[in-house]
Amino acid sequence: MEVRAFKDDIKKYKGKSVAVFVYEGDLKPLARLSKGTSNKAKRVAELENFKGKEGEILKVPTLGTSVDFVYIVGLGKKEKVGEDTYRRASANLVKRMRRDKVESTVVVIPRRGDVSKEITKAITEGAILGNYRFDKYKSKKEDEKFEIKEVLINRGDEEGIRLGKIFAEAQNYARNLVNEPGNVINPITLAEEAKKLAEEFGLECKVYDEKQIQEMGMMALYSVGKGSATPPRFIHLIYKPSGKPKEKIALVGKGLTFDSGGLNIKPGDYMRTMKMDKSGACAVLGIMRAIAQLKPDVEVHGLIGAAENMPDGNAYRPDDVIKAKNGKYIEIDNTDAEGRVTLADVLSYASELKPDKIIDMATLTGACMVALGEYTAGLFTNAPDFAEEIKKTAKRTGERVWELPMDDERLRKKIKNTVADVLNTGGRYGGAITAAMFLEEFVGEGIKWVHLDIAGPAWSKEEYGYYTKGGTGFGVRTCLEYIMKVSSNV
Ligand code: BES
Ligand code: MG
Ligand code: ZN
């Protein structure tokens, strides 16, 4: 599928169909089309009682006029329309085109004149994200022969299209990786994937094996991985701009290629979908892929502790005490709280790089989903100003985040009730917060840090907006947008 701009007057468009985006209760944008088409479309919309609510799409045959049919795509109430509304509308349109087996269309938006870079980018992203499927393991492809050829954006902005493609393709790349099962992506193959990515896009990539991981003092990551037949890997990707970087940012991703719970084994229905426990890592890889193309004036490090959490004679156990890379001792209460144990070492390593900022993304706790529902990521921070910037950015990308507090010192005591420096669980209540407090123990002094608990939004059980069932690639666009902002502003 190609996304391109159509620079000419829409009346001169010669294809079969046009897709007109409209605000709720306002069909005026149809008047942009040639008279015959416009009148027919408007009349049918009224007859069909089409309102233009978000998600509503009407296909109107307009045979005998300049095009064969018009898609009227609802954006919802004008005052609620933002960048993400365009992204979702564009995805809904593309999903409908697939169903209708329509090969091409041109998008017309309500605002007159040239479409801004931001909205063009959102429409481009929506189209590419909405066209995503993961069907490589279906021997007989469902709609085998059909592919959308092109989505044009009337008076679209070229730079918006260029950026939108890079952002959405990075997210789809992350989704593909998340959707790969544990027998395909394990710590070794994930590291190979990182190497391949680095080679293809021109990044530096270092992979450390289980022996080197131990030598580096990353016993926490090592311990989590040692119950698996596939040993852990530590992955370090580096992007350096040609000039002096405006900032140094480290991205950390939880990379559990499968989380069985370990000796504290998960019951079957909780274990299902735990191939997605590598979503944070996949997001980091997707971001690095895009960063290599976008070339911001920011130094970016992508860090992943890849491990598989398995029960075994060699597995780490409850009661074990493990020394992390920053010298702190961790007592294990529950082997299923493994993500934070691996991140202890990766955050310690990240801190040694002395970055200005660290963002970590982790499918860390079921408790976060209990607190916020499955569509919103928990946000935790030691730096309110940095968190505000991420929240503002996430509003634009449509990736929902909500901050949870880290100032409850009584709650913090729950991870201190141990023979060691810190315990790896803090009990049932406030589980997402005590997990974040655990991570904070491994963030170096003076480094601004945001932790995103993406346990909910990293995976979708249903098809909605630009998501299909499965991995969502959540976090990719917000981090990219933020890094690009740092690159252009500071
Ligand atoms: N990977 C899980 C968290 C998770 C749960 C992600 C559901 C996505 C969907 C994590 O490793 C885990 O098992 N956490 C435990 C922690 C508990 C043992 C303190 C949890 O949330 O139950
Ligand atoms: Mg677990
Ligand atoms: Zn996990």
Side-chain angles (χ1 to χ4, degrees), residues 50 56 147 158 168 373:
F50 176 86
E56 217 182 341
E147 277 300 332
E158 299 291 355

Side-chain angles (χ1 to χ4, degrees), residues 254 259 266 274 276-277 334 336-338 340 363-366 369 425 455:
K254 171 172 170 180
D259 179 13
K266 287 180 187 291
M274 276 304 138
M276 61 78 93
D277 216 15
N334 189 315
D336 197 13
E338 83 300 331
R340 64 197 77 177
T363 47
L364 203 63
T365 68
M369 300 167 74
T425 67

Side-chain angles (χ1 to χ4, degrees), residues 445-484:
E445 203 69 39
I447 301 171
K448 295 185 177 197
W449 163 71
V450 160
H451 157 55
L452 296 174
D453 191 332
I454 59 170
W459 182 262
S460 182
K461 282 203 169 126
E462 71 241 56
E463 174 147 0
Y464 68 93
Y466 32 77
Y467 295 138
T468 45
K469 283 183 192 174
T472 60
F474 186 97
V476 169
R477 283 183 299 105
T478 300
C479 289
L480 281 175
E481 199 75 53
Y482 178 73
I483 292 169
M484 294 316 286

